[in-house]
Amino acid sequence: HQWEQSYSDWLTENADSIARMTVKTAPWAKTSSWAEPYLQQAEAQGLISVCIYGTDMTQSMTRFEFASTVMRIYEAAGGAPVTITARFSDTNDADIQSAATLGIVNGTGNGSFSPRGLLTREQAVTMLGRAYALFRDVPADGAELPVALLTGLGVLSGSGDGMLHPQSKLTREQALKLAVELLAALNG
């Protein structure tokens, strides 16, 4: 019996939905007390992607995990199905390819995405700004525009010292807080 490529493609494209039907673990293994209400909202809204489901949310998020999270926001906000046209040499993940097709994510050079690379705050803010711009008529290119946009929407408030720290890494729980806040801004 020969394996059909179309079935493999279907499995890849629907992995998140399939996993949600079969995964019976808790939504997270560890989180900070401040993040608990945001993670509960993220779980209820379907924003916790299968790639981070059941993990330690205090750990740094990868570029792959965040691209998947941003696609959960896109879907929850009513985004249309994506016909994938973008490809990277280091990943075949449907969420990454969809996010690239939509213009939410860019590669890191030489046709690569660096899916295992740790996500910086600057990268997260840029991706969220681009995702928001898909639903609203706002500019989201450049370094300053997404910061101003997301701050104005109440999505972004910086660290405890009020600074963004753009090159600092973002934890999974921090990323999911931003996801919950962005979806609220899109729905509000």
Side-chain angles (χ1 to χ4, degrees):
H1 173 33
Q2 189 175 12
W3 190 264
E4 291 184 32
Q5 184 61 42
S6 62
Y7 183 64
S8 292
D9 293 342
W10 182 86
L11 285 173
T12 300
E13 291 169 9
N14 294 287
D16 213 43
S17 300
I18 294 166
R20 287 198 182 282
M21 291 185 277
T22 59
V23 174
K24 299 295 183 200
T25 61
W28 51 86
K30 180 181 176 186
T31 193
S32 303
S33 59
W34 67 264
E36 188 90 24
Y38 295 105
L39 294 183
Q40 290 170 349
Q41 281 184 275
E43 169 65 12
Q45 295 168 330
L47 300 179
I48 301 179
S49 180
V50 67
C51 62
I52 61 170
Y53 205 88
T55 64
D56 180 351
M57 296 296 177
T58 64
Q59 294 298 305
S60 295
M61 185 168 248
T62 66
R63 290 172 47 81
F64 159 64
E65 293 167 349
F66 196 69
S68 186
T69 299
V70 172
M71 288 309 297
R72 300 295 76 75
I73 297 167
Y74 176 80
E75 292 166 358
V82 178
T83 301
I84 295 172
T85 59
R87 305 271 185 223
F88 292 104
S89 61
D90 58 349
T91 181
N92 291 321
D93 181 72
D95 282 336
I96 293 171
Q97 293 172 347
S98 294
T101 297
L102 291 168
I104 296 171
V105 302
N106 289 329
T108 55
N110 297 324
S112 297
F113 180 74
S114 303
R116 291 185 186 94
L118 296 180
L119 181 77
T120 66
R121 293 169 182 263
E122 179 180 31
Q123 291 168 340
V125 168
T126 300
M127 290 179 206
L128 290 174
R130 289 175 182 156
Y132 184 83
L134 291 172
F135 296 95
R136 303 291 187 270
D137 187 21
V138 295
D141 286 333
E144 295 83 21
L145 288 174
V147 172
L149 172 70
L150 296 176
T151 301
L153 291 169
V155 173
L156 184 65
S157 59
S159 298
D161 61 2
M163 303 296 290
L164 180 60
H165 301 286
Q167 295 308 308
S168 295
K169 305 305 181 222
L170 199 66
T171 65
R172 293 173 178 140
E173 62 192 5
Q174 291 168 334
L176 287 169
K177 176 187 182 289
L178 291 173
V180 166
E181 297 286 0
L182 184 65
L183 186 57
L186 284 167
N187 290 335

